[in-house]
PDB file of all heavy atoms in Angstrom:
ATOM      1  N   THR A 195       3.263  14.780   8.396  1.00 98.00           N
ATOM      2  CA  THR A 195       1.938  15.078   8.946  1.00 98.00           C
ATOM      3  C   THR A 195       0.987  13.931   8.632  1.00 98.00           C
ATOM      4  O   THR A 195       1.002  13.388   7.523  1.00 98.00           O
ATOM      5  CB  THR A 195       1.377  16.384   8.354  1.00 98.00           C
ATOM      6  OG1 THR A 195       2.256  17.467   8.697  1.00 98.00           O
ATOM      7  CG2 THR A 195      -0.012  16.681   8.902  1.00 98.00           C
ATOM      8  N   VAL A 196       0.155  13.568   9.620  1.00 98.00           N
ATOM      9  CA  VAL A 196      -0.809  12.484   9.442  1.00 98.00           C
ATOM     10  C   VAL A 196      -2.158  13.064   9.018  1.00 98.00           C
ATOM     11  O   VAL A 196      -2.659  14.020   9.624  1.00 98.00           O
ATOM     12  CB  VAL A 196      -0.976  11.667  10.737  1.00 98.00           C
ATOM     13  CG1 VAL A 196      -2.062  10.597  10.556  1.00 98.00           C
ATOM     14  CG2 VAL A 196       0.344  11.014  11.129  1.00 98.00           C
ATOM     15  N   TYR A 197      -2.720  12.481   7.985  1.00 98.00           N
ATOM     16  CA  TYR A 197      -4.051  12.831   7.500  1.00 98.00           C
ATOM     17  C   TYR A 197      -4.907  11.566   7.511  1.00 98.00           C
ATOM     18  O   TYR A 197      -4.379  10.450   7.549  1.00 98.00           O
ATOM     19  CB  TYR A 197      -3.993  13.385   6.073  1.00 98.00           C
ATOM     20  CG  TYR A 197      -3.122  14.604   5.906  1.00 98.00           C
ATOM     21  CD1 TYR A 197      -1.747  14.469   5.684  1.00 98.00           C
ATOM     22  CD2 TYR A 197      -3.658  15.886   5.962  1.00 98.00           C
ATOM     23  CE1 TYR A 197      -0.936  15.589   5.524  1.00 98.00           C
ATOM     24  CE2 TYR A 197      -2.855  17.009   5.803  1.00 98.00           C
ATOM     25  CZ  TYR A 197      -1.492  16.851   5.588  1.00 98.00           C
ATOM     26  OH  TYR A 197      -0.695  17.958   5.435  1.00 98.00           O
ATOM     27  N   VAL A 198      -6.220  11.735   7.461  1.00 98.00           N
ATOM     28  CA  VAL A 198      -7.125  10.593   7.344  1.00 98.00           C
ATOM     29  C   VAL A 198      -7.904  10.738   6.043  1.00 98.00           C
ATOM     30  O   VAL A 198      -8.621  11.728   5.844  1.00 98.00           O
ATOM     31  CB  VAL A 198      -8.102  10.501   8.533  1.00 98.00           C
ATOM     32  CG1 VAL A 198      -9.028   9.289   8.359  1.00 98.00           C
ATOM     33  CG2 VAL A 198      -7.339  10.392   9.849  1.00 98.00           C
ATOM     34  N   GLY A 199      -7.729   9.761   5.150  1.00 97.00           N
ATOM     35  CA  GLY A 199      -8.503   9.718   3.920  1.00 97.00           C
ATOM     36  C   GLY A 199      -9.822   9.013   4.181  1.00 97.00           C
ATOM     37  O   GLY A 199      -9.851   7.922   4.746  1.00 97.00           O
ATOM     38  N   MET A 200     -10.924   9.635   3.775  1.00 95.00           N
ATOM     39  CA  MET A 200     -12.258   9.102   4.045  1.00 95.00           C
ATOM     40  C   MET A 200     -12.962   8.881   2.712  1.00 95.00           C
ATOM     41  O   MET A 200     -13.459   9.814   2.086  1.00 95.00           O
ATOM     42  CB  MET A 200     -13.030  10.073   4.936  1.00 95.00           C
ATOM     43  CG  MET A 200     -12.244  10.462   6.192  1.00 95.00           C
ATOM     44  SD  MET A 200     -12.992  11.791   7.172  1.00 95.00           S
ATOM     45  CE  MET A 200     -14.288  10.897   7.990  1.00 95.00           C
ATOM     46  N   ARG A 201     -12.969   7.621   2.286  1.00 92.00           N
ATOM     47  CA  ARG A 201     -13.443   7.279   0.941  1.00 92.00           C
ATOM     48  C   ARG A 201     -14.960   7.102   0.907  1.00 92.00           C
ATOM     49  O   ARG A 201     -15.536   6.446   1.766  1.00 92.00           O
ATOM     50  CB  ARG A 201     -12.783   5.983   0.476  1.00 92.00           C
ATOM     51  CG  ARG A 201     -13.139   5.554  -0.945  1.00 92.00           C
ATOM     52  CD  ARG A 201     -12.706   4.116  -1.160  1.00 92.00           C
ATOM     53  NE  ARG A 201     -12.814   3.661  -2.531  1.00 92.00           N
ATOM     54  CZ  ARG A 201     -13.921   3.205  -3.086  1.00 92.00           C
ATOM     55  NH1 ARG A 201     -15.050   3.167  -2.397  1.00 92.00           N
ATOM     56  NH2 ARG A 201     -13.913   2.777  -4.333  1.00 92.00           N
ATOM     57  N   PRO A 202     -15.612   7.656  -0.121  1.00 88.00           N
ATOM     58  CA  PRO A 202     -17.058   7.467  -0.257  1.00 88.00           C
ATOM     59  C   PRO A 202     -17.372   6.159  -0.976  1.00 88.00           C
ATOM     60  O   PRO A 202     -16.494   5.534  -1.577  1.00 88.00           O
ATOM     61  CB  PRO A 202     -17.473   8.654  -1.121  1.00 88.00           C
ATOM     62  CG  PRO A 202     -16.298   8.837  -2.040  1.00 88.00           C
ATOM     63  CD  PRO A 202     -15.077   8.520  -1.194  1.00 88.00           C
ATOM     64  N   LEU A 203     -18.628   5.764  -0.921  1.00 81.00           N
ATOM     65  CA  LEU A 203     -19.084   4.605  -1.691  1.00 81.00           C
ATOM     66  C   LEU A 203     -19.566   5.085  -3.055  1.00 81.00           C
ATOM     67  O   LEU A 203     -20.756   5.068  -3.358  1.00 81.00           O
ATOM     68  CB  LEU A 203     -20.210   3.883  -0.951  1.00 81.00           C
ATOM     69  CG  LEU A 203     -19.771   2.804   0.030  1.00 81.00           C
ATOM     70  CD1 LEU A 203     -20.974   2.224   0.750  1.00 81.00           C
ATOM     71  CD2 LEU A 203     -19.003   1.697  -0.674  1.00 81.00           C
ATOM     72  N   TYR A 204     -18.623   5.520  -3.894  1.00 77.00           N
ATOM     73  CA  TYR A 204     -19.041   6.056  -5.186  1.00 77.00           C
ATOM     74  C   TYR A 204     -19.591   4.971  -6.105  1.00 77.00           C
ATOM     75  O   TYR A 204     -20.231   5.262  -7.112  1.00 77.00           O
ATOM     76  CB  TYR A 204     -17.909   6.824  -5.862  1.00 77.00           C
ATOM     77  CG  TYR A 204     -16.641   6.046  -6.136  1.00 77.00           C
ATOM     78  CD1 TYR A 204     -16.586   5.042  -7.096  1.00 77.00           C
ATOM     79  CD2 TYR A 204     -15.472   6.351  -5.456  1.00 77.00           C
ATOM     80  CE1 TYR A 204     -15.419   4.356  -7.355  1.00 77.00           C
ATOM     81  CE2 TYR A 204     -14.295   5.672  -5.710  1.00 77.00           C
ATOM     82  CZ  TYR A 204     -14.271   4.672  -6.666  1.00 77.00           C
ATOM     83  OH  TYR A 204     -13.103   3.993  -6.919  1.00 77.00           O
ATOM     84  N   GLU A 205     -19.346   3.697  -5.757  1.00 71.00           N
ATOM     85  CA  GLU A 205     -19.939   2.614  -6.545  1.00 71.00           C
ATOM     86  C   GLU A 205     -21.466   2.687  -6.561  1.00 71.00           C
ATOM     87  O   GLU A 205     -22.112   2.168  -7.466  1.00 71.00           O
ATOM     88  CB  GLU A 205     -19.515   1.249  -5.993  1.00 71.00           C
ATOM     89  CG  GLU A 205     -18.053   0.921  -6.194  1.00 71.00           C
ATOM     90  CD  GLU A 205     -17.179   1.400  -5.049  1.00 71.00           C
ATOM     91  OE1 GLU A 205     -17.639   2.233  -4.251  1.00 71.00           O
ATOM     92  OE2 GLU A 205     -16.034   0.956  -4.953  1.00 71.00           O
ATOM     93  N   LEU A 206     -22.031   3.311  -5.528  1.00 68.00           N
ATOM     94  CA  LEU A 206     -23.488   3.409  -5.427  1.00 68.00           C
ATOM     95  C   LEU A 206     -24.026   4.714  -6.000  1.00 68.00           C
ATOM     96  O   LEU A 206     -25.226   4.970  -5.938  1.00 68.00           O
ATOM     97  CB  LEU A 206     -23.907   3.297  -3.955  1.00 68.00           C
ATOM     98  CG  LEU A 206     -23.417   2.051  -3.207  1.00 68.00           C
ATOM     99  CD1 LEU A 206     -23.936   2.057  -1.783  1.00 68.00           C
ATOM    100  CD2 LEU A 206     -23.852   0.784  -3.925  1.00 68.00           C
TER     101      LEU A 206
END
Side-chain angles (χ1 to χ4, degrees):
T195 299
V196 176
Y197 302 85
V198 180
M200 308 172 77
R201 183 194 189 277
L203 271 177
Y204 59 70
E205 291 89 344
L206 305 182

